[in-house]
Amino acid sequence: MPTVLTKRTDFLAANKGLRNARPGFVLLTRPNDGEGVRYGITVTKKIGNAVVRNRMKRRFRELLRAALPEGGLANHDHVLIGRSGGVERDYSTMAEELHAALARAKEGNGDTGRGRRPRRGNKRK
């Protein structure tokens, strides 16, 4: 049974790993030095109110419980980040997309960083 990520540092570390974007979510995977299969879920306030976010997290939790035992990467952290299109998407469609994203991650393929906005922060002069 996969364990749940709870520490912010684990989520930040996963953000430096492989990234596979799908219409309803983004899957991040990263090796975790032999700590087994672990997963985390992130849904921001940008997605909707608390009811919508909790519904999305419940769906993600079920998707991961079904997919990770056979399709998850051994000794890796898996983080699902919710996207606005994920609330309305059909469950079976999201399950297929998760299996495809896990298969790409197993092959070592991720999406390129093209199209990502640069982080805003302290600009050095």
Side-chain angles (χ1 to χ4, degrees):
M1 181 73 186
T3 57
V4 180
L5 294 175
T6 55
K7 295 182 182 173
R8 182 173 190 268
T9 54
D10 292 333
F11 282 88
L12 293 175
N15 200 27
K16 295 179 180 144
L18 260 141
R19 175 185 188 90
N20 283 294
R22 296 289 176 258
F25 60 85
V26 176
L27 173 69
L28 305 174
T29 53
R30 182 173 174 158
N32 62 16
D33 299 327
E35 294 186 35
V37 177
R38 302 188 307 175
Y39 72 92
I41 298 169
T42 303
V43 181
T44 64
K45 287 185 178 182
K46 203 186 316 183
I47 302 302
N49 63 14
V51 175
V52 172
R53 293 193 312 268
N54 287 332
R55 181 182 308 134
M56 184 176 256
K57 287 190 277 188
R58 282 194 304 270
R59 294 180 80 195
F60 283 167
R61 215 172 291 125
E62 281 305 311
L63 283 168
L64 289 170
R65 282 186 188 145
L68 286 185
E70 72 271 356
L73 284 73
N75 297 319
H76 275 69
D77 291 339
H78 305 76
V79 175
L80 274 183
I81 302 172
R83 284 182 147 182
S84 57
V87 178
E88 303 90 22
R89 291 187 76 75
D90 185 47
Y91 182 84
S92 60
T93 305
M94 287 182 63
E96 291 171 7
E97 290 172 351
L98 180 59
H99 284 292
L102 286 169
R104 278 183 55 91
K106 274 189 179 178
E107 296 168 0
N109 296 331
D111 296 335
T112 61
R114 291 187 353 220
R116 288 181 71 183
R117 291 180 295 182
R119 291 183 178 231
R120 286 192 241 159
N122 296 336
K123 295 184 180 175
R124 296 181 185 170
K125 294 181 181 180

